[in-house]
Amino acid sequence: LRCEVSRSTSGAPVEATMWIDVPPARLTATARELAALPQTRMCAAVVGGSNLALTLWLRSVEELQPLEMEMSRRAPRTSITERTLTLRHLKLMGRVLDTEGRAARAVPLDIWQDPGSFAQDHAGSTHR
């Protein structure tokens, strides 16, 4: 089960996602340290250009830079390789969201459907 809260009522409407390079020997300890930040929503070891992904919920965009400084203090041998900001979600967990970030309608998720067949089945549809 998963429960999402509307960002507009959470007090933290801005989402930042970061990809971080961590020395392999420090990955577990660094993940624990960054997961303990109150803004952390998700922290996971990943495979790719970076080995740690971190999703944060922020009160404002201005909170990001001081938080990055705190992260550098807590995990000094790390490097943020990429970051994205999400100011508003349009869809989340199979739900189209209204302007307040609340579920407006469901979009059924069929995880077993071939992605190519979805495009063919919904060609010309305005409800994607």
Side-chain angles (χ1 to χ4, degrees):
L1 293 176
R2 178 174 172 152
C3 179
E4 287 289 341
V5 64
S6 168
R7 305 286 157 68
S8 63
T9 59
S10 72
V14 176
E15 180 177 289
T17 301
M18 299 180 181
W19 290 265
I20 304 168
D21 277 340
V22 181
R26 299 282 311 145
L27 185 60
T28 300
T30 300
R32 281 193 187 115
E33 188 70 33
L34 297 180
L37 292 167
Q39 297 91 339
T40 298
R41 176 77 171 151
M42 185 275 305
C43 183
V46 295
V47 175
S50 297
N51 57 357
L52 191 69
L54 186 68
T55 299
L56 307 157
W57 282 11
L58 310 172
R59 292 183 300 269
S60 69
V61 173
E62 291 78 21
E63 186 179 357
L64 184 57
Q65 202 263 339
L67 182 58
E68 286 184 7
M69 290 171 53
E70 174 64 16
M71 290 167 56
S72 293
R73 188 189 66 72
R74 289 182 182 222
R77 292 182 294 217
T78 63
S79 174
I80 299 169
T81 60
E82 189 175 344
R83 62 183 61 73
T84 62
L85 282 175
T86 303
L87 303 177
R88 179 176 171 225
H89 284 274
L90 301 176
K91 191 166 69 169
L92 185 67
M93 296 304 297
R95 303 285 187 267
V96 173
L97 306 178
D98 65 15
T99 57
E100 295 298 314
R102 294 185 174 94
R105 66 182 172 85
V107 178
L109 299 173
D110 184 355
I111 62 170
W112 304 112
Q113 182 177 9
D114 174 28
S117 69
F118 178 84
Q120 292 171 354
D121 292 347
H122 294 86
S125 173
T126 59
H127 293 87
R128 290 188 185 169

